[in-house]
Amino acid sequence: MPDYKMKNGYILLLTAIYALTGLLFFENQMIGVVCLFVSVVLTALTVRFQVKTEQEWKEYVLGITKRFKHVSEEAVKEMPIGVLFFNDEHHIEWVNPHFESIVGFDAVMGQSLNQLSEQLIPAIKKAHSEEIITLNQRKWRVFIRPEEKILYFFDVTEQVKTQELYSQDRTALAFILIDNYDEITQGMSDQTKSLIMGKVTAVLNRWANEYGMFFKKISSDKFVAVMNQKIVDQLEKNKFSVLDAVRDVNHKQNIPLTLSIGVGAGEATLQELGHLAQSSLDLALGRGGDQVALKFSNGKVKFYGGKTNPIEKRTRVRARVISHALRELVLESDKVIIMGHCHPDMDAIGAAIGILKVAEANEKESYIVLDPDDIHVGVYRLIDEVKKDEVLYSHFIYPKQALEECTPNTLVVVVDTHKPSLVIEPGLLNKTDRVVVIDHHRRGEEFIEDPVLVYMEPYASSTAELVTELLEYQPKKSKMSMLEASALLAGIIVDTKSFTLRTGSRTFDAASYLRANGADTVLVQQFLKEDLTQYVGRARLLEQTTILGDGIAIAKGTMQDVYDQVLIAQAADTLLTMNDVMASFVIAKRNDGKIGVSARSLGDVNVQVIMEKLNGGGHLTNAATQLENITIDETETLLKEKIIEYLEGGDSE
């Protein structure tokens, strides 16, 4: 490289000499002439040096350019990197020799990028910087340069294979529980118990051996299984068929034994996998059992099974324990605030009044959070009746008042929901750590964080039924009024469709207790009356009904007609009473502009699983969802896809 430091030194020296020559010329002309001569000689040498330097620089730059061009050409032609030029229409204009050897120059020239992979054009349009595609049975990482319209292809087949091997070999952990084993085998002889457990264990052992997992019994009704991700993928593919196998074995003996399985998987330590597996098992049990909850370390959750109704528990031990625990929490609190879900129905209001009675029995200040402008149409009559009772109505407060009343020592009781996004006033959950959840819905992925007490029983007909049982174990310091008992009974009647769905012996026990405490069935019927307009609207909605195979009926409204959510649900209930209808779905536009879908079933079709695929939820026989930015026809198409997936065995989330 030319020595520019020397050149700059010459220039500085000449400048100094010329300045000195000028000064000496005025002092002594002879010396000045000599200095001038020296300056001219040095100037000539400098000019010559500069010319030589520039020539050397040109030769240097030319050499570098030639070398760079040679290296670039060699890189493009010889290095194992595919290079592709495309035009504005995403057609291939040129490929380098390496890429030509992969796909053939003549085979792709002028063709669309879709000929290579359908992933490329969407990735370019979305401004992705890279994409992995499959080409000639190999994996390629494509670096996208949209400004230059160039694609660079790097073969990452071995890297992808290594990642897949690592992913498939990751450890996964499963906890397996026999649902209600102690209650179902209560009263059986030891020989019968051993026979039943032997059959279940044999099925589980065959299942474990078939997939090559480690399997171990850790208690009378609990097992642990250790596997890898590859086995988990196989189990998912077969929809955890062991659930059906165990159910079929015991069904022949008329013993309703089922399994609940919690699986923890993903990139996590063994300790974290253990927590994930236990959390998954709790989730499966909270949803009613007879299913698998698969939770990954990234938070994703999948469900399989859940095809049977939750089995009613035969004893009330848990209800008594929960009632006593609730009483202790009430006594330790400065006040109690009760709230249900937004747009509360009869069950939520009835259960809230029941918890209000629990607080009253323990002589604690208590309030129910309610926005009178945000309630179901069917609840208006109940609220109008409550307003006539000044003492009872004084305990109802607005959400803003509840926030003002709430302190860190306040007990907040959430009824008829367990999802923080659905409660009337989410801010209450952040103002105190003392939160109780009482609900009868199957547990979903979203759940109130760290409640101090949870009473969730999916087998129950309603939250009002659960609260009625809790009331039976509270101090009898004040008698339940006729209106309070009637409100709880109305909640049970509404959720059971007048004792026809999800009704167990405990449901009738709770109704009997309420009737004995003054519940007025005539008043309940007054609460449940509907006007002629609703009846006609429901009939109009059911006019557009189609029947799919397997007894599934779908009714839909139009985008011009708007219906209340209660009416949509009532239409689904009505449709379920028709001949040969096993499950009903009603699609209609709601008052808030969303598209509502209500689903009902007689039990053979798990509508909860189908609604969860549409970001909804509920029960096996009663579920719903709401969708935004979609038309009714689009919703119908989407719903049919999910129903077909379910019927074909894709009952996972």
Side-chain angles (χ1 to χ4, degrees):
M1 185 173 179
D3 193 346
Y4 279 96
K5 291 184 178 180
M6 184 178 294
K7 175 184 175 182
N8 292 335
Y10 275 121
I11 293 173
L12 291 173
L13 178 60
L14 283 174
T15 303
I17 291 174
Y18 278 119
L20 181 60
T21 300
L23 291 173
L24 292 175
F25 192 81
F26 288 104
E27 295 292 335
N28 189 318
Q29 291 185 354
M30 183 62 67
I31 295 174
V33 170
V34 173
C35 288
L36 180 61
F37 177 77
V38 173
S39 299
V40 171
V41 173
L42 288 175
T43 299
L45 291 173
T46 301
V47 171
R48 181 182 177 186
F49 176 79
Q50 184 175 359
V51 171
K52 182 180 178 182
T53 300
E54 289 178 355
Q55 183 64 31
E56 290 177 353
W57 173 247
K58 288 180 181 179
E59 292 176 357
Y60 172 77
V61 171
L62 184 60
I64 289 293
T65 302
K66 288 181 178 179
R67 290 168 61 193
F68 182 77
K69 183 178 180 181
H70 176 72
V71 170
S72 299
E73 290 177 354
E74 185 177 358
V76 171
K77 293 180 179 179
E78 304 298 334
M79 291 186 69
I81 300 172
V83 182
L84 181 151
F85 291 178
F86 62 92
N87 58 22
D88 292 332
E89 287 74 35
H90 302 108
H91 288 172
I92 300 170
E93 291 187 326
W94 179 85
V95 294
N96 72 331
H98 179 71
F99 196 74
E100 182 182 345
S101 66
I102 301 169
V103 297
F105 184 81
D106 296 333
V108 297
M109 277 304 300
Q111 299 292 331
S112 169
L113 290 177
N114 280 332
Q115 296 293 112
L116 295 178
S117 172
E118 294 183 355
Q119 298 172 245
L120 290 175
I121 294 179
I124 293 170
K125 291 180 177 179
K126 293 178 181 179
H128 291 178
S129 60
E130 61 182 78
E131 190 80 15
I132 292 182
I133 67 169
T134 301
L135 192 60
N136 287 354
Q137 298 181 343
R138 298 189 69 81
K139 296 289 184 179
W140 299 84
R141 187 184 301 276
V142 184
F143 288 91
I144 304 170
R145 298 295 179 264
E147 295 82 6
E148 296 84 10
K149 296 183 178 59
I150 300 177
L151 302 179
Y152 297 98
F153 293 76
F154 291 83
D155 190 342
V156 292
T157 305
E158 300 304 321
Q159 178 185 344
V160 171
K161 284 183 179 179
T162 302
Q163 289 175 340
E164 289 177 352
L165 288 173
Y166 166 73
S167 177
Q168 291 179 352
D169 202 41
R170 285 192 309 235
T171 302
L173 194 62
F175 290 146
I176 304 166
L177 184 72
I178 301 177
D179 298 327
N180 298 338
Y181 175 75
D182 291 334
E183 293 183 359
I184 291 174
T185 57
Q186 185 178 7
M188 292 183 179
S189 65
D190 291 340
Q191 183 179 359
T192 305
K193 287 183 182 180
S194 299
L195 181 62
I196 293 171
M197 181 53 68
K199 290 182 177 180
V200 173
T201 304
V203 171
L204 291 174
N205 277 322
R206 285 197 300 270
W207 174 65
N209 291 333
E210 178 185 353
Y211 290 96
M213 65 181 80
F214 172 79
F215 180 76
K216 183 73 176 177
K217 184 177 181 179
I218 55 178
S219 69
S220 61
D221 59 351
K222 195 171 185 179
F223 307 82
V224 64
V226 182
M227 63 199 79
N228 58 26
Q229 185 60 46
K230 183 178 180 180
I231 296 174
V232 173
D233 294 339
Q234 293 172 349
L235 294 174
E236 283 193 84
K237 186 177 180 180
N238 292 321
K239 309 299 177 187
F240 286 86
S241 57
V242 68
L243 295 176
D244 299 324
V246 171
R247 194 186 310 112
D248 292 343
V249 166
N250 292 299
H251 181 69
K252 295 175 183 177
Q253 307 296 324
N254 292 320
I255 300 172
L257 275 183
T258 55
L259 294 182
S260 290
I261 303 177
V263 184
E267 294 186 10
T269 64
L270 290 175
Q271 188 176 25
E272 290 170 341
L273 288 175
H275 290 310
L276 285 173
Q278 185 60 55
S279 174
S280 299
L281 181 60
D282 293 341
L283 191 55
L285 292 171
R287 291 165 57 88
D290 188 27
Q291 58 192 280
V292 178
L294 172 57
K295 184 177 287 188
F296 294 90
S297 55
N298 60 7
K300 184 178 180 182
V301 181
K302 294 182 178 180
F303 298 103
Y304 296 87
K307 295 181 179 179
T308 60
N309 269 314
I311 300 170
E312 180 181 12
K313 298 185 185 299
R314 295 181 179 176
T315 68
R316 294 194 178 193
V317 175
R318 178 166 165 77
R320 177 172 55 80
V321 171
I322 293 292
S323 184
H324 290 171
L326 179 62
R327 181 171 186 266
E328 293 298 321
L329 289 170
V330 170
L331 292 173
E332 293 169 0
S333 306
D334 58 0
K335 64 175 71 71
V336 179
I337 295 179
I338 310 129
M339 66 174 170
H341 49 79
C342 53
H343 211 51
D345 54 13
M346 198 72 76
D347 187 31
I349 298 295
I353 291 175
I355 297 297
L356 185 75
K357 201 65 184 174
V358 171
E360 182 182 324
N362 291 283
E363 301 178 342
K364 281 293 178 179
E365 179 184 359
S366 53
Y367 302 98
I368 296 174
V369 184
L370 181 70
D371 183 355
D373 298 325
D374 182 34
I375 57 177
H376 270 164
V377 175
V379 182
Y380 280 122
R381 295 184 184 88
L382 171 60
I383 297 302
D384 288 342
E385 199 66 30
V386 169
K387 289 179 180 178
K388 297 176 184 178
D389 186 333
E390 295 182 1
V391 176
L392 179 58
Y393 190 62
S394 66
H395 291 279
F396 284 77
I397 59 176
Y398 284 91
K400 287 185 178 180
Q401 291 176 272
L403 285 173
E404 295 172 358
E405 291 285 345
C406 188
T407 70
N409 198 39
T410 296
L411 183 67
V412 173
V413 182
V414 178
V415 295
D416 205 31
T417 186
H418 57 269
K419 298 182 178 182
S421 62
L422 295 183
V423 298
I424 292 178
E425 181 47 70
L428 287 172
L429 303 177
N430 300 322
K431 292 203 68 174
T432 178
D433 294 329
R434 301 171 60 78
V435 179
V436 173
V437 177
I438 303 175
D439 190 16
H440 72 118
H441 295 101
R442 294 193 184 211
R443 180 168 174 168
E445 185 178 348
E446 182 188 1
F447 197 80
I448 292 172
E449 186 176 356
D450 297 328
V452 294
L453 181 65
V454 176
Y455 188 32
M456 287 185 64
E457 297 293 357
Y459 71 84
S461 69
S462 58
T463 309
E465 176 190 324
L466 295 176
V467 172
T468 300
E469 290 186 345
L470 297 181
L471 272 169
E472 295 183 45
Y473 299 102
Q474 293 295 315
K476 304 297 187 291
K477 293 184 178 180
S478 61
K479 190 176 184 303
M480 192 182 304
S481 70
M482 181 269 292
L483 180 57
E484 292 167 341
S486 298
L488 280 161
L489 182 59
I492 295 175
I493 290 176
V494 168
D495 272 25
T496 59
K497 304 297 179 289
S498 298
F499 300 101
T500 58
L501 294 176
R502 298 193 311 278
T503 305
S505 61
R506 299 265 291 271
T507 308
F508 290 104
D509 289 342
S512 176
Y513 174 82
L514 294 171
R515 187 73 180 90
N517 280 271
D520 188 344
T521 54
V522 175
L523 181 60
V524 171
Q525 291 303 313
Q526 292 290 334
F527 294 156
L528 303 182
K529 277 190 175 182
E530 62 177 323
D531 56 38
L532 185 60
T533 304
Q534 277 189 301
Y535 184 86
V536 173
R538 185 168 69 248
R540 187 186 306 117
L541 186 56
L542 293 177
E543 285 180 345
Q544 302 297 323
T545 301
T546 57
I547 305 294
L548 300 181
D550 302 301
I552 295 176
I554 299 178
K556 64 176 183 177
T558 66
M559 290 300 291
Q560 290 73 38
D561 296 324
V562 177
Y563 296 92
D564 183 83
Q565 181 61 41
V566 175
L567 195 146
I568 301 173
Q570 290 174 343
D573 291 329
T574 303
L575 196 56
L576 193 62
T577 63
M578 302 300 160
N579 286 335
D580 301 324
V581 174
M582 305 300 295
S584 62
F585 298 85
V586 177
I587 309 167
K589 188 175 182 180
R590 303 185 348 152
N591 298 327
D592 57 8
K594 297 179 181 178
I595 303 300
V597 183
S598 281
R600 298 292 185 269
S601 167
L602 293 177
D604 292 332
V605 177
N606 189 337
V607 293
Q608 178 203 7
V609 171
I610 297 172
M611 289 296 97
E612 284 179 338
K613 292 174 181 290
L614 299 174
N615 299 319
H619 280 282
L620 181 145
T621 58
N622 184 334
T625 190
Q626 297 85 44
L627 303 174
E628 296 184 82
N629 304 318
I630 192 171
T631 66
I632 287 178
D633 289 338
E634 290 170 344
T635 303
E636 181 185 23
T637 301
L638 189 60
L639 174 62
K640 287 180 178 178
E641 290 177 1
K642 301 307 178 184
I643 292 173
I644 291 171
E645 283 182 20
Y646 171 81
L647 295 176
E648 291 178 349
D651 54 347
S652 67
E653 278 191 347

